[in-house]
Amino acid sequence: MRIVAALEALKSEGKLPADLTLVGIEAAPPRGPNHGDVASNAAMVLAKSARMKPRDIAEALTDKLRSDPEIARVEVAGPGFLNITFVPAFWQQAVARIRTAGVDYGRTDLGRGERVNVEYVSANPTGPMHVGHCRGAVVGDTLANLLAFVGYDVTREYYINDAGGQVDMLARSAYLRYREALGEDIGVIPDGFYPGDYLKPVGTALAEKYGPSLLGKPEVDWLGQVRIFALDMMMSLIRDDLAQLGIAHDVFFSERSLMAGNRDIVAETIATLRDEGHVYQGRLEPPKGEVNPDWEDREQTLFRSTAFGDDADRALLKSDGTYTYFAPDIAYHKTKWERGFKHIIDVVGADHAGYKKRLQAAVAAVSGGKGKIDVIFCQLVKLFKDGQPFKMSKRAGTFITVRDVVDEVGRDPVRFMMLYRKNDSPLDFDLAKVIEQSKENPVFYVQMAHARAKSVFRNVAEVFPDLTETSRGVIDADLTLLTDAGELDMVKKLAFFPELIEGAARAHEPHRIAFYLYEVASSFHGHWARGNETPQLRYIQADNKAITAARLALVAVHAQVLATGLAILGVGAPQELR
RNA sequence: GGUCCCGUAGCUCAGCCGGAUAGAGCAGCCGCCUUCUAAGCGGCAGGUCGCAGGUUCGAAUCCUGCCGGGAUCGCCA
């Protein structure tokens, strides 16, 4: 900001070309501590278009910036970096600025109230959630929190895949359990059926509701009712699992609803796209590489996704005439656009990797090119048990549920762990490690920084009972007493929070917050330990109320930023850990 | 074979819309608890940022091509 102002001043003074456009200028915290508080590349970026030497621009800028009373030092370094050091007062006052902003510190109006739809989880409604679903759930939920924090109008949505063949198998499996509940020996669960015990209560409930009335009837007579019944129970199971993670969606959108009742929105969507030339009858090239023995060359109904950058056109109808998974998905995304969402975000698993382009194509086609969709991939969670890779299978009934894990380790470690990784990277999730060595989990490190801060306020009550967190004594503290380098380092970290939030929101990368909070916690723990060795550095100075008050103000904003950040992650900020 | 993701310290990973001497945790070594929570802190050691080109004043970061690992490729969702 100041740099831009200085550049503008130089332009008007004729020391820089007046038509110079100021793009690509950055001011960021430098790597090393010897390069000031912020470093700017302005001189180097502008050198070419201004046809001047970087160092000359830098020198001119330096003269301008030196007149700023909040800037202590400006140095030109290396090829033309500007290293700017602020006066301590600048950072001291930052504490006041952070405190004044309060719970809104870091909040921006980036989203300008625009509506964004974040779809996440969308696990098949054929059983409870397992740990593999956790990641997308937590990443999606946190991204939704983050976008809401920066001013978007966020809708959290779950797409229920209740129209495919797998829900018929669910119904058949539930029917088996129903017969079992009525006393029949069902023997071994046949191949292809869902064998998990979680279907037993469904069978029991069916038996209670219908008695023996469904027995001995052909499938067509019971499949529909049993499917609805089982789906209902599965979805409530999943909602409970999500609640365990602290997740609540605003909308549960049923795939089946797209083609139920007297309207078939999928057919309507296809017809519209056909009118617009995006759907045609044609043939596909067989996939290259491994030969699929079942490949059969036939004319089919295709979506021209290649027109929007996809690698191949995509089939909309199976050979039996029913829709592929993709067909209702186009209609579904059309409803997102028609429901007024300017931004659409899908959080999906890595197994959908090839799906991005066709979704982008679909959204482009149904929105006339105006809709924006971002597809976020969460790489696989590799599960380890006792150091050994652990293979889960819903069909085989060997899987570890979200409930198991949350019951064992708690919501906070699970959520934090899922976020303490870039979503593009695979994630090793070792149950033994998370459970037994939970102290290695960074979540405790961050939570402890918060708890410790709170403990300072508990302890100060014995010396200065009137210096509570919200007291005038703390709020009006003389911040110029914050002079220690460790204290100012803490402030500098905290001052970066708004930029961090905005960057994470723009990039749709919630993990950045987790890493940032770790750094904030680190600056706090470091200063804390220095207090162990040097008592004068401790927050509470029994013989100096003014210094204590100033330091408490710093502790308060530290706790406040941690709490705000943790809240976005959906992780608790405990008062004490013990 | 196509597409997408990944390759950074012994291990697990940050950093990636170009910026200065590449960071953290764990493991290893040396220190710090009569003292605000040691679930913590400081220090040492550890790197040809997969390889090779290219763009640039400047490349871990952008482009191309290889190599390695993972995911996926009509009639599953």
Side-chain angles (χ1 to χ4, degrees):
Chain A
M1 298 291 270
R2 295 156 199 273
I3 294 168
V4 172
L7 286 166
E8 292 293 352
L10 286 172
K11 280 203 311 196
S12 58
E13 290 169 20
K15 289 180 183 165
L16 281 173
D19 58 345
L20 192 62
T21 50
L22 310 176
V23 291
I25 296 169
E26 286 179 3
R31 275 191 213 278
N34 301 327
H35 299 302
D37 292 327
V38 291
S40 176
N41 59 356
M44 288 176 293
V45 171
L46 298 176
K48 202 167 207 173
S49 51
R51 287 175 302 277
M52 292 171 67
K53 285 183 196 161
R55 288 199 73 102
D56 291 346
I57 299 178
E59 295 293 349
L61 265 172
T62 301
D63 291 340
K64 266 279 166 275
L65 291 169
R66 279 196 179 125
S67 60
D68 188 322
E70 290 194 316
I71 291 176
R73 275 202 318 281
V74 186
E75 287 158 1
V76 181
F81 286 101
L82 277 183
N83 295 331
I84 300 168
T85 306
F86 290 102
V87 295
F90 175 80
W91 298 114
Q92 288 154 358
Q93 287 316 307
V95 172
R97 288 196 294 273
I98 295 168
R99 195 210 58 239
T100 305
V103 291
D104 288 330
Y105 177 60
R107 199 182 277 280
T108 65
D109 193 31
L110 183 68
R112 297 186 303 267
E114 289 172 4
R115 300 189 64 206
V116 50
N117 181 295
V118 185
E119 179 203 331
Y120 57 105
V121 189
S122 300
N124 278 339
T126 55
M129 286 180 63
H130 58 71
V131 284
H133 294 123
C134 252
R135 191 174 189 183
V138 172
V139 168
D141 195 55
T142 302
L143 179 58
N145 291 346
L146 174 60
L147 293 176
F149 189 69
V150 297
Y152 285 95
D153 179 3
V154 179
T155 295
R156 299 143 194 271
E157 190 152 317
Y158 186 119
Y159 183 50
I160 310 172
N161 297 137
D162 54 2
Q166 84 283 0
V167 287
D168 288 338
M169 282 319 292
L170 171 73
R172 292 186 189 106
S173 307
Y175 184 76
L176 215 56
R177 295 299 190 178
Y178 160 73
R179 284 163 48 198
E180 183 182 46
L182 290 171
E184 201 174 318
D185 179 8
I186 57 169
V188 182
I189 308 280
D191 247 18
F193 283 66
Y194 294 100
D197 285 347
Y198 59 86
L199 286 175
K200 282 185 181 170
V202 180
T204 309
L206 278 168
E208 277 170 21
K209 181 173 181 192
Y210 292 101
S213 67
L214 301 179
L215 286 179
K217 298 224 173 116
E219 187 177 286
V220 286
D221 288 347
W222 52 260
L223 190 71
Q225 334 173 31
V226 172
R227 186 174 54 214
I228 290 169
F229 193 89
L231 265 173
D232 210 47
M233 286 189 71
M234 289 304 104
M235 282 314 296
S236 82
L237 204 61
I238 289 171
R239 277 178 218 245
D240 286 351
D241 288 347
L242 288 169
Q244 294 248 306
L245 287 169
I247 296 172
H249 289 80
D250 302 309
V251 176
F252 285 84
F253 195 102
S254 157
E255 177 184 4
R256 190 171 284 272
S257 73
L258 291 165
M259 39 205 149
N262 42 20
R263 282 187 71 183
D264 185 338
I265 299 172
V266 182
E268 290 172 19
T269 302
I270 292 176
T272 305
L273 290 173
R274 196 186 292 274
D275 290 343
E276 291 165 357
H278 299 314
V279 167
Y280 67 103
Q281 301 303 118
R283 289 169 190 281
L284 278 182
E285 294 282 314
K288 299 202 165 125
E290 262 184 71
V291 182
N292 181 346
D294 295 333
W295 176 266
E296 164 200 359
D297 187 29
R298 66 179 175 87
E299 188 174 276
Q300 49 190 337
T301 304
L302 297 170
F303 172 61
R304 203 185 300 279
S305 52
T306 48
F308 302 96
D310 199 359
D311 313 301
D313 292 339
R314 303 296 171 179
L316 298 176
L317 296 178
K318 301 180 200 167
S319 50
D320 66 2
T322 59
Y323 296 125
T324 60
Y325 176 75
F326 184 48
D329 218 11
I330 299 175
Y332 172 49
H333 281 83
K334 185 165 183 245
T335 76
K336 287 185 184 175
W337 171 247
E338 287 171 352
R339 282 182 282 153
F341 293 109
K342 201 166 174 182
H343 308 271
I344 298 170
I345 300 174
D346 288 8
V347 180
V348 299
D351 52 342
H352 285 63
Y355 212 67
K356 181 174 184 165
K357 287 182 183 173
R358 81 187 69 168
L359 272 180
Q360 288 174 329
V363 169
V366 299
S367 70
K370 292 197 281 280
K372 291 178 208 154
I373 181 168
D374 187 18
V375 183
I376 293 172
F377 297 100
C378 291
Q379 287 296 318
L380 299 189
V381 175
K382 234 185 283 174
L383 201 55
F384 288 83
K385 213 176 178 182
D386 309 321
Q388 296 298 312
F390 185 78
K391 192 89 178 149
M392 292 196 303
S393 160
K394 202 182 261 190
R395 282 180 188 265
T398 60
F399 57 90
I400 295 167
T401 62
V402 166
R403 186 167 298 262
D404 293 339
V405 178
V406 174
D407 283 350
E408 198 82 39
V409 301
R411 174 198 297 176
D412 289 348
V414 172
R415 283 194 69 122
F416 201 93
M417 180 147 281
M418 293 292 165
L419 292 164
Y420 203 62
R421 190 116 321 177
K422 193 172 46 179
N423 57 283
D424 286 335
S425 300
L427 173 65
D428 289 349
F429 194 84
D430 191 320
L431 290 164
K433 223 174 189 170
V434 178
I435 293 166
E436 288 163 27
Q437 302 175 25
S438 56
K439 61 183 165 190
E440 280 183 22
N441 192 317
V443 69
F444 295 107
Y445 184 85
V446 175
Q447 287 185 323
M448 192 174 81
H450 184 267
R452 266 184 167 172
K454 293 294 179 181
S455 81
V456 174
F457 282 98
R458 284 194 293 274
N459 290 318
V460 80
E462 292 175 16
V463 197
F464 303 117
D466 56 323
L467 287 184
T468 62
E469 225 174 320
T470 50
S471 63
R472 297 310 309 179
V474 171
I475 290 175
D476 298 331
D478 178 7
L479 297 171
T480 62
L481 297 172
L482 296 173
T483 51
D484 184 73
E487 290 165 352
L488 296 181
D489 278 347
M490 283 174 62
V491 180
K492 288 171 191 176
K493 269 275 180 285
L494 299 176
F496 186 62
F497 185 61
E499 276 181 84
L500 179 279
I501 288 291
E502 180 156 339
R506 280 186 196 280
H508 297 166
E509 289 185 352
H511 76 274
R512 293 191 194 183
I513 301 170
F515 283 95
Y516 167 78
L517 292 179
Y518 189 91
E519 288 175 23
V520 170
S522 179
S523 74
F524 181 77
H525 289 312
H527 192 62
W528 181 281
R530 258 171 260 129
N532 279 340
E533 290 159 20
T534 315
Q536 307 89 276
L537 289 180
R538 293 184 199 166
Y539 296 113
I540 301 171
Q541 297 293 319
D543 58 350
N544 192 331
K545 193 170 181 183
I547 281 198
T548 302
R551 291 180 179 175
L552 288 179
L554 172 59
V555 174
V557 293
H558 169 265
Q560 176 198 311
V561 170
L562 283 182
T564 303
L566 285 170
I568 293 172
L569 303 187
V571 174
Q575 299 293 312
E576 53 185 334
L577 274 182
R578 299 250 177 241

